[in-house]
Amino acid sequence: MLKNFKLILCRHGESILNKQNKVSEWSDTNLNYRGISQSFFIGQKLLNHNLIPDTIYTSQLKRTKQTSSIIKYFLKKDVHTISSWILNERYYGILEGKNQHEAIIEYGAYNIHKIKTDFYTMPYFFENKYILDNNRLINNNIETIIGESGNMVSKRVLPYFYNEITNNFINNDTIMIISHKHVLKTLIKELEKKNDEEYKNIEIPQGVLFYYELDKNLNLITKKIL
């Protein structure tokens, strides 16, 4: 009898730049002390719920790899791990590394809010106004110099999810993805069939596990927040 597939989504622990209130998206910052502690608690949650991943996917940024390493150390199991830049956080272009308060002063609170929440808004400005992507832009290059909308993130993440990650369900029934806020929002939007407006309200706290059971066609059966 075919088992249901188990998928665990997890945001990395708090990083040094998170604590400094800076836009850290593709900046390769380490976990801070709180982020390390959060990673241990994630490992404990996995044990408590008997959810031991067969494969862990991370981005290529240190904060996800460190979170994964701590979890594996806590579980005392060398879980097969695959890292890809495609799971990197949304790229924020000219806002990368900026203090978020200073960015609001420079570009305006409404502009920054729109960039952070709207699915089609890019972190780029023309005549002091944000720019909307045209629904055709795709980021297939880690060396990109433009910023991404949530829609652009989905266009690089979802093909990887369906063509690479879910192929591992053939051999494994539990897969864990440790990534970043906007990547996980993309996956949750897809799995839960949320629309563009609902995307704005998806929250991804650090230290929280999103657990899904999927059928053989990858349709959602059960969701739990742990």
Side-chain angles (χ1 to χ4, degrees), residues 181-195:
K181 178 172 67 175
H182 290 283
V183 171
L184 298 179
K185 286 181 68 168
T186 285
L187 291 172
I188 288 172
K189 180 179 186 290
E190 178 73 4
L191 291 168
E192 300 184 21
K193 310 301 182 189
K194 292 182 179 293
N195 61 37

Side-chain angles (χ1 to χ4, degrees), residues 26 85-86 91 120 122 132-160:
W26 276 20
W85 80 268
I86 296 174
Y91 183 56
Y120 293 100
M122 297 172 63
L132 298 177
D133 81 40
N134 61 10
N135 206 23
R136 294 190 296 273
L137 294 173
I138 301 174
N139 175 17
N140 285 324
N141 184 358
I142 193 171
E143 302 299 332
T144 183
I145 59 172
I146 64 172
E148 294 177 300
S149 66
N151 181 52
M152 291 167 68
V153 172
S154 73
K155 286 185 176 181
R156 66 170 157 92
V157 169
L158 293 182
Y160 184 73

Side-chain angles (χ1 to χ4, degrees), residues 69-80:
S69 294
I70 293 168
I71 289 170
K72 290 194 292 184
Y73 175 81
F74 188 88
L75 296 177
K76 295 180 170 56
K77 182 181 179 183
D78 187 19
V79 181
H80 180 54

